[in-house]
Amino acid sequence: MPSALPDGEPVPESGSLPPSALDGRESSPLGFYLHVPFCATRCGYCDFNTYTASELRTSEGVLASRENYADTVVDEIRLARKVLADDPRRVETVFVGGGTPTLLPAADLGRMLAAVRDEFGLTPDAEVTTEANPESVDPGYLTQLREAGFNRISFGMQSARPHVLQILDRTHTPGRPEKCVGEARAAGFTHVNLDLIYGTPGETDDDWRASLESALTERPDHISAYALIVEEGTQLARRIRRGEVPMTDDDVHADRYLLAEETLTAAGMSWYEVSNWATTGDAAARCRHNELYWTGADWWGAGPGAHSHVGGV
Ligand SMILES: C[S@@+](CC[C@H](N)C(=O)[O-])C[C@H]1O[C@@H](n2cnc3c(N)ncnc32)[C@H](O)[C@@H]1O
Ligand code: SF4
């Protein structure tokens, strides 16, 4: 099988970074990606590195559990401090992704963020995001996140249509993600994203239009719209192979992408990256952490689904 590793130097086994990676770092922004690999249920389309068990065991014992996961991430952040040694940079973006980060208590996410702040410091205008599943938060939880220093939140909506949500195995009630946008605003979040998926088997153009319009009702300042990828090894791929659900065709995907662009532009948003739209004319509405990847800046990743990139390594 061909290697899936990108070009570039591999990480040295000692965990240290070669001098070439450490040269000229100060000119590049630094971000953190903190991965939380737990979900309440596995969506049939998703092949992310995530687990529904609350405790991961091997014959040698417990590898990770929801209970001690934040401590493990804090240890990794301290390791990053050691490896980056005298790096003077403060962190410009933190992104907590999943899995479902909001399955952990808000205080645990707050502790992870505090470790980044204590070890590296955050810039005064740092963007601090967490992903969240709509059914896993309530106003009290959102307020706690805000108090801990999170200022951006991204909810997985995917679709407004019950039959589409059902094919995707999504467990939230239709309408709940849109309500989450209002609750996040009330808790003090200025930046709110909704994730949508188009091209689900059985979805029509009208379904997709309705999802876009519904996503816009509470005026989030960011929308991510992803073409459904049927990933090998997922339940959805098996269902398609067995002929239980149809495969969506590429032309349908292309038409829905154009419909997204048309609808979101008409609603005052602008496309700025393959799958992302943000409020027109408001640079702060774009996801800076995402832009950091696209511009090849530096980020430190912690967690089993994370990778890091420092100075080309
Ligand atoms: C880590 S998940 C977001 C957080 C949360 N776990 C959720 O699902 O609400 C990131 C996003 O990736 C997208 N995604 C995951 N698997 C995908 C696939 N096979 N095709 C297209 N988009 C996918 C979904 O829109 C999902 O919201
Ligand atoms: S899409 Fe989100 S909630 Fe569903 S399994 Fe993947 S990470 Fe978990």
Side-chain angles (χ1 to χ4, degrees):
M1 220 175 109
S3 166
L5 289 175
D7 292 339
E9 295 177 55
V11 176
E13 280 176 17
S14 67
S16 63
L17 287 168
S20 65
L22 302 176
D23 286 347
R25 277 171 300 167
E26 277 111 85
S27 60
S28 180
L30 175 67
F32 263 80
Y33 176 78
L34 308 177
H35 176 234
V36 179
F38 302 106
C39 285
T41 56
R42 158 77 68 173
C43 307
Y45 58 89
C46 179
D47 77 340
F48 291 6
N49 188 339
T50 186
Y51 306 87
T52 51
S54 55
E55 206 171 70
L56 308 179
R57 286 178 169 276
T58 64
S59 51
E60 276 144 46
V62 178
L63 262 186
S65 76
R66 288 184 201 173
E67 220 160 79
N68 68 14
Y69 189 73
D71 295 330
T72 313
V73 171
V74 168
D75 285 346
E76 289 258 351
I77 294 163
R78 291 187 182 140
L79 172 72
R81 177 72 277 175
K82 280 193 195 132
V83 174
L84 294 176
D86 57 354
D87 194 318
R89 287 177 295 179
R90 284 190 289 171
V91 171
E92 300 199 11
T93 66
V94 179
F95 195 102
V96 183
T100 304
T102 44
L103 269 189
L104 300 185
D108 282 10
L109 303 189
R111 264 185 323 116
M112 286 155 51
L113 174 59
V116 176
R117 197 188 286 121
D118 293 348
E119 297 294 337
F120 288 84
L122 295 172
T123 57
D125 65 342
E127 174 193 274
V128 183
T129 307
T130 186
E131 290 184 331
N133 283 45
E135 70 283 9
S136 65
V137 298
D138 60 21
Y141 188 99
L142 294 167
T143 302
Q144 276 181 275
L145 283 181
R146 191 66 197 93
E147 285 170 357
F150 287 83
N151 53 29
R152 187 172 182 277
I153 190 158
S154 171
F155 296 106
M157 170 175 169
Q158 323 310 353
S159 173
R161 294 291 209 203
H163 72 99
V164 178
L165 290 172
Q166 199 182 354
I167 293 278
L168 293 174
D169 297 322
R170 296 295 293 194
T171 52
H172 61 256
T173 315
R176 176 68 198 139
E178 297 88 322
K179 279 215 176 74
C180 284
V181 177
E183 288 177 9
R185 283 264 164 65
F189 284 89
T190 12
H191 303 300
V192 186
N193 172 63
L194 289 175
D195 279 345
L196 293 172
I197 289 182
Y198 58 90
T200 299
E203 182 194 63
T204 64
D205 284 348
D206 277 351
D207 289 333
W208 177 231
R209 195 174 288 108
S211 292
L212 287 163
E213 279 164 8
S214 204
L216 288 164
T217 48
E218 293 293 326
R219 313 306 298 176
D221 66 344
H222 194 283
I223 288 186
S224 301
Y226 300 111
L228 178 70
I229 301 171
V230 179
E231 304 280 6
E232 266 317 306
T234 59
Q235 182 65 17
L236 180 65
R238 285 190 286 278
R239 292 182 70 192
I240 290 175
R241 202 173 310 116
R242 290 197 295 260
E244 289 168 23
V245 289
M247 180 72 185
T248 316
D249 108 16
D250 288 348
D251 288 338
V252 168
H253 269 137
D255 289 344
R256 304 243 164 104
Y257 190 38
L258 293 175
L259 186 57
E261 166 61 3
E262 196 182 298
T263 311
L264 298 175
T265 302
M269 302 186 95
S270 297
W271 176 92
Y272 73 95
E273 179 262 87
V274 183
S275 308
N276 289 291
W277 285 259
T279 303
T280 304
D282 180 4
R286 295 179 174 199
C287 178
R288 275 162 57 203
H289 187 82
N290 193 17
E291 291 188 306
L292 189 134
Y293 295 141
W294 285 89
T295 52
D298 288 352
W299 64 90
W300 194 281
H307 53 80
S308 309
H309 174 262
V310 179
V313 173

